[in-house]
Amino acid sequence: MDRMRIVLTGDRPTGPLHIGHYAGSLANRLLLQDRYKQYVMIADVQALTDNYENPQKVRENVVEVALDYLAVGIDPAKTTIFIQSLIPEIAELTIFYLNLVTVNRLRRNPTVKTEINQKGYGENVTAGFLMYPVSQAADITVVRADCVPVGEDQLPMIEQTNEIVRTFNRIYRTDALVEAEALIPKVARLPGTDGKAKMSKSLGNAIYLSDSAEVVKQKIMNMYTDPNHLRVTDPGKVEGNPVFDYLDAFDADVKTVQEMKDHYQQGGLGDMVVKKRLLEIMQAFLEPIRSRRALLSQDKKAVMDVLKKGTLQTREVAQQTMSRVKNAMHLDYGF
Ligand code: TRP
């Protein structure tokens, strides 16, 4: 029997989830829910840090993300799913942690740095956006999670969380907070259908778990491949070719994939043949998710009930953590 671990992850509800989310972290969560105490958080507060002018979008996507979770098989009997904004202890912890982090350290967080550049915030970055890693440290520590299954872009967040945990425990002479370990998937991050490094809504290069069969077909048939692979007989490149990256992530028949790669590199294997195989694999993977999702979306009240129950459970744990934290900080007034 494994040591009892506590797992927490989350997603920003800014759109439906795509196959990159699946490969990056949903697949690991499906494995972890059978073995450990798992929490999955819908990060509406974090979503607002770059969508504060669009609260309606965040609100709508809370339900979409919850539907994606349930459709892929995150089981509310095993996993506690909750909404971030309904756990006020996370906001409280964030305020305490902010004293333990310098603004310079936040500016150097590689993920935040990249996002500030991508979004063009420059010097006008809001305090809320700059400090969201601190809020993320509160997400993780509020349930005392020691395992965080995420994509590799989240590694700097876990590192920063652990710095805060160590500083807190040292300064307040306590063991109230627990360090966490990231669990990174074996497959590298999935590129977009256009071959760009990241699958994202804004780039329009994502395949969503909720896409119809027709849309999936269109997206796969139009995928970027090796641009120099002009004739079937030409040797083709497998590196930087997203069709093969997706096969690596979703085709369980590793041997056949390897044979196709060899054949493609030698020349004589056409893009269409590879894409057709990928299409079959993806449809077989997505079809059951799609139909479960359609069924679940007919009863939004049941979905909200799952979130309510999970949120109430999480609050109990959060209150326990909060009382330990306040005790260590001499903020226990007894009334
Ligand atoms: N930052 C994560 C993302 O963009 C979402 C997230 C918020 C998260 N809080 C978390 C992930 C806590 C893991 C643990 O995908």
Side-chain angles (χ1 to χ4, degrees):
M1 183 63 185
D2 294 298
R3 184 168 62 90
M4 184 57 192
R5 301 195 75 166
I6 300 174
V7 181
L8 177 129
T9 42
D11 297 282
R12 297 183 194 179
T14 51
L17 301 181
H18 51 61
I19 60 170
H21 289 112
Y22 188 90
S25 124
L26 289 171
N28 271 338
R29 297 179 204 178
L30 293 177
L31 299 174
L32 292 165
Q33 72 178 350
D34 289 320
R35 297 166 58 183
Y36 305 122
K37 173 68 222 154
Q38 177 166 253
Y39 297 87
V40 173
M41 182 186 76
I42 303 184
D44 57 347
V45 176
Q46 190 175 112
L48 284 168
T49 61
D50 60 337
N51 288 280
Y52 55 88
E53 290 170 310
N54 266 318
Q56 191 57 31
K57 169 175 137 186
V58 173
R59 175 65 180 80
E60 281 160 15
N61 281 302
V62 168
V63 190
E64 295 306 311
V65 168
L67 280 168
D68 285 329
Y69 288 162
L70 299 173
V72 296
I74 304 263
D75 178 354
K78 298 173 183 165
T79 296
T80 303
I81 311 174
F82 70 96
I83 300 178
Q84 187 184 23
S85 64
L86 292 174
I87 310 294
E89 288 79 9
I90 293 176
E92 276 187 85
L93 278 179
T94 303
I95 292 286
F96 297 149
Y97 294 171
L98 279 169
N99 293 325
L100 312 177
V101 180
T102 66
V103 173
N104 270 326
R105 174 66 181 88
L106 286 165
R107 283 192 192 279
R108 285 199 313 269
N109 181 305
T111 303
V112 174
K113 212 166 152 178
T114 309
E115 282 176 303
I116 290 175
N117 286 336
Q118 277 169 353
K119 295 170 197 288
Y121 291 156
E123 290 298 306
N124 291 321
V125 62
T126 64
F129 190 83
L130 188 66
M131 68 100 208
Y132 91 73
V134 181
S135 168
Q136 191 157 331
D139 302 335
I140 295 167
T141 53
V142 80
V143 299
R144 297 191 288 281
D146 59 2
C147 176
V148 187
V150 278
E152 61 181 351
D153 62 311
Q154 294 296 302
L155 275 175
M157 301 299 164
I158 314 300
E159 201 177 300
Q160 194 151 21
T161 297
N162 288 336
E163 281 175 29
I164 291 170
V165 167
R166 287 191 292 266
T167 307
F168 186 97
N169 286 350
R170 175 173 49 80
I171 292 180
Y172 301 115
R173 298 168 202 278
T174 176
D175 56 4
L177 300 185
V178 181
E179 285 190 53
E181 194 189 325
L183 184 69
I184 306 293
K186 281 194 265 335
V187 287
R189 183 163 80 183
L190 281 196
T193 52
D194 55 359
K196 295 226 173 79
K198 197 177 171 179
M199 191 175 281
S200 89
K201 197 180 164 85
S202 50
L203 295 171
N205 61 1
I207 296 175
Y208 294 99
L209 297 172
S210 48
D211 276 344
S212 70
E214 199 38 54
V215 168
V216 172
K217 183 174 177 192
Q218 224 178 327
K219 287 180 178 174
I220 289 182
M221 288 308 164
N222 290 323
M223 267 177 85
Y224 171 91
T225 60
D226 175 2
N228 296 317
H229 186 236
L230 296 173
R231 279 165 306 201
V232 174
T233 47
D234 289 341
K237 266 207 188 116
V238 162
E239 297 79 37
N241 189 331
V243 181
F244 285 103
D245 292 323
Y246 292 11
L247 281 173
D248 280 337
F250 289 96
D251 192 339
D253 186 352
V254 179
K255 198 164 151 266
T256 303
V257 174
Q258 189 52 52
E259 281 165 12
M260 289 182 96
K261 285 184 185 172
D262 294 342
H263 193 179
Y264 193 83
Q265 283 170 316
Q266 279 158 25
L269 184 60
D271 283 334
M272 269 306 143
V273 177
V274 192
K275 284 184 175 177
K276 280 203 176 118
R277 165 137 192 133
L278 177 63
L279 181 60
E280 257 172 55
I281 300 278
M282 288 317 303
Q283 298 290 32
F285 169 72
L286 290 170
E287 174 43 39
I289 297 175
R290 194 183 292 132
S291 50
R292 259 196 309 261
R293 201 182 194 283
L295 202 69
L296 290 158
S297 68
Q298 288 170 13
D299 192 356
K300 298 255 164 67
K301 163 98 173 48
V303 176
M304 292 317 285
D305 279 347
V306 165
L307 298 182
K308 182 178 175 185
K309 213 167 143 213
T311 299
L312 292 175
Q313 278 172 20
T314 307
R315 271 219 81 186
E316 277 183 36
V317 179
Q319 280 163 0
Q320 286 167 16
T321 303
M322 208 60 220
S323 72
R324 288 192 207 179
V325 159
K326 287 195 167 175
N327 183 275
M329 295 180 74
H330 303 282
L331 296 171
D332 43 354
Y333 296 101
F335 60 84

